[in-house]
Structures are given as C-alpha cells and as structure tokens.
Amino acid sequence: VSLDNGTVRLQSVKLTGPKTTIQATGTASVQGQNMNLKLDANADLGLLQNFSQDIESAGSVVLAATIRGPVSKPLVNGALELRAAGLHYAGFANGISNANGTVVFNGNSATIRNLSAESGGGSITASGFVGYAGTLRFGLHANASNTRLQVQQGVSVVTAADIHLSGTTDHSLVSGTVTIEALNYLPQSDIGSLLSRAAPPVQAPSAPSPLLDNMRLDIRVRTSPALAVQASVAQNLQADADLRIRGTAAQPGVLGRVNVSEGQLVFFGSTFTVNSGSIGFYNPVRIDPVLDISLETQAKGVDVVLHVTGPIDNMKLSYTSDPPLQFQEIV
C-alpha cells in the first residue's frame, strides 16, 4: 500500500482464512472524494459463527466487483453469488438454507437473479431490484411454497405465498396473497390457552422507523379448500378463513373472519364439540380478534353448551344446559 499526494494506492492486498480469500487493488482518495477499486472475494459464510453464538451459518459467497466515484455516492458494478448459503439466528423461528443465486450490481442499483432457498421445509424464490441513487427504491417479489411458520409457541402453519414489495423508503406497499394449507398444534396445546396468549399486549412506546411507518400492507390471507388441521386437541376440525392484513408494517391491522363449522377441540382443559363459531377482525390498525363460538359437551349425563363471545382480552363465557341447571351447578 502506498500513499502519494492524498491518494492511497492498493498495489497488492490479499487476506486469507479458512476457505476464504479476499483480494483488492486500486486507488482511493484520503478525503473520500474518489475511489477506483477492484474487489474479488470467495468467503466461507461459516465464519459468521465465530462472531456470535446466536448465528448458525454455512455455504459461501463469491464477489467480483469494481467501485468507482465518491464514498458518499459510489457506483458499484459486478456480481455477488451465493452458493449453498445458510443462515439461522436464534431469535427467529425460521432460517434460510441452501440459498443459491446471483445479485448483479449495475452502478447505483442491484438486481436479484435466480435466487432460491429453503426455509421451514419448503422452498422460497426471490427476484427484483433495489435502487440506491439518493432515495432507496425497491421492486421485489418473493414466492414461497410449503413453508412452515411458527405463529406462536405450540402453533405452526404451512403456507404458500406470493408477496410483492414496491416503492421507496418514503412510500411503499407490501401486497400479495398467503394461503394456509395446514394448521398444526403441539399435543399439549389447548385452544383456550392459545387464544389467551394471543391477547394483544400493551404496546410500549418505541422509536419511530421511517421505513416501517411508511410501508403500507395489503395482504390477503385465506385457507386452502383442502386445509388440514393436525393436533391431538382438535379432531376433524373444519375451518376456513378470509382475512386482509392492512395498516402499516409498524402497526398492522386485520380485517375479515375465521369460521369454524364442525369438529372437536379442547377448550381450557375440557373437550367440546363445535356447534358454530367465528373469529372476526374489525380493526384496520390493530390485530384485535372478536370471538363468537358455541361449544357443546356432556358431563355426568348433562348436555352443556358454552358460548364464548367478545374480544380475546375480555372474553365473556355463558353456559346453558339440558336439563336446565343453575350456573354454579354447570360450572
């Protein structure tokens, strides 16, 4: 490396490590006014595990690029290639594995080509572009098939999705469809307990995020006609849903309804037959489920019907029986 009249010249720079080689040549102004650099790298992504115990990573990344212009507005040309890349962070239920594809850099934009990966037992593909000349612009498309997502502890869904993200940091839209193909509960799960855990938490004030605050949502979520509910606590359960996720990424809301037509389920420790039921969503700026469910069971020769109504965080329970009994006797 040499320095001449405020210009740093990289004559021969090479870094090597386990399955990793990084090389650079070119020039750069000390004041950041101008760069003309050439980078070549073949790096092992498994090295990321050395920086954090919460990260599991594998595969490699290959980069061949030139960087020209001022540091504040560089022009990047070249390509970055992922080869069997994998990344999983301990704080997220789903990770990415076997990611392969190419990102092509063309001055002040990047285009995703033929990017595919595996997640949650299913496949994901992505394409589109990101422009970074002044305001960040993006037009991205992702498609998922047979991908399992953990909704909350004890509950997971298998989905197919077709999602688009377009716009800028000041005004963007996430749109598309998500189809729920299967619903799974862990054996120890209880429907009533799950609904209680889903009660909207008290929101603590958080720092504003311009990107998330300005990112509007318009995503349709529906069940597949062949929806399969798999759990020891829910037998022959038939349900369908047609929901819209609206609001913003920082403050999402849900509109629509989930209907439960028949089957058996465990509700707060007791097994009930579903007479009818619905979970409605009416708040476009908040996820606020409202229940209207009629459940029936038999105890000591008495038929008992339980009606559950109201929002998740303030459910109202009422009982009737045949033959008629006092409320306390039914309980």
Side-chain angles (χ1 to χ4, degrees):
V1 179
S2 62
L3 175 63
D4 183 19
N5 293 324
T7 298
V8 177
R9 183 177 301 278
L10 307 180
Q11 296 177 350
S12 177
V13 176
K14 184 177 182 180
L15 305 175
T16 61
K19 300 180 183 179
T20 298
T21 302
I22 302 174
Q23 299 183 82
T25 58
T27 60
S29 168
V30 172
Q31 297 179 345
Q33 296 174 346
N34 195 38
M35 293 184 296
N36 187 357
L37 300 174
K38 184 177 186 297
L39 298 177
D40 290 285
N42 189 333
D44 179 16
L45 290 177
L47 294 175
L48 295 175
Q49 301 176 136
N50 297 329
F51 297 95
S52 173
Q53 295 182 347
D54 294 330
I55 295 177
E56 294 181 12
S57 56
S60 62
V61 58
V62 178
L63 172 67
T66 59
I67 305 174
R68 295 186 175 92
V71 174
S72 58
K73 293 182 179 180
L75 297 177
V76 182
N77 290 274
L80 181 149
E81 182 181 357
L82 295 175
R83 297 178 179 176
L87 181 65
H88 184 274
Y89 187 71
F92 293 88
N94 280 54
I96 296 293
S97 61
N98 198 29
N100 295 278
T102 303
V103 179
V104 177
F105 300 97
N106 184 17
N108 51 23
S109 67
T111 303
I112 300 174
R113 293 182 179 175
N114 303 320
L115 180 60
S116 63
E118 298 173 1
S119 181
S123 61
I124 298 175
T125 60
S127 60
F129 75 92
V130 176
Y132 40 87
T135 301
L136 188 66
R137 298 178 297 107
F138 29 75
L140 301 172
H141 174 225
N143 185 280
S145 176
N146 199 36
T147 301
R148 184 180 302 277
L149 302 173
Q150 183 172 324
V151 180
Q152 60 166 286
Q153 185 177 1
V155 183
S156 65
V157 295
V158 178
T159 66
D162 188 71
I163 302 296
H164 299 265
L165 169 61
S166 60
T168 67
T169 51
D170 297 327
H171 185 77
S172 61
L173 172 66
V174 180
S175 61
T177 60
V178 176
T179 302
I180 300 175
E181 299 175 339
L183 180 63
N184 298 273
Y185 298 97
L186 292 178
Q188 66 269 28
S189 299
D190 179 297
I191 300 298
S193 300
L194 293 172
L195 291 175
S196 296
R197 290 205 303 268
V202 176
Q203 297 291 331
S206 58
S209 169
L211 178 62
L212 298 181
D213 289 341
N214 297 320
M215 183 179 292
R216 295 184 298 111
L217 305 177
D218 185 12
I219 302 173
R220 185 181 185 186
V221 180
R222 56 185 177 180
T223 53
S224 165
L227 174 69
V229 179
Q230 302 171 4
S232 62
V233 299
Q235 302 174 14
N236 304 317
L237 197 63
Q238 301 294 319
D240 65 87
D242 193 351
L243 306 172
R244 286 276 184 179
I245 301 178
R246 307 301 293 269
T248 66
Q251 190 172 0
V254 177
L255 299 173
R257 183 182 299 273
V258 178
N259 295 310
V260 183
S261 54
E262 61 179 273
Q264 290 183 316
L265 53 80
V266 174
F267 197 82
F268 290 121
S270 298
T271 301
F272 289 88
T273 299
V274 179
N275 288 335
S276 63
S278 69
I279 305 175
F281 298 83
Y282 309 102
N283 194 333
V285 295
R286 191 167 182 257
I287 302 175
D288 193 9
V290 178
L291 304 182
D292 185 3
I293 302 176
S294 176
L295 306 172
E296 184 176 353
T297 191
Q298 190 175 76
K300 297 182 179 180
V302 177
D303 291 327
V304 177
V305 176
L306 167 63
H307 296 277
V308 185
T309 58
I312 291 292
D313 53 353
N314 189 24
M315 288 188 289
K316 305 296 183 184
L317 307 180
S318 63
Y319 295 88
T320 58
S321 68
D322 184 18
L325 297 175
Q326 295 294 324
F327 177 79
Q328 195 58 40
E329 294 179 295
I330 297 175
V331 174

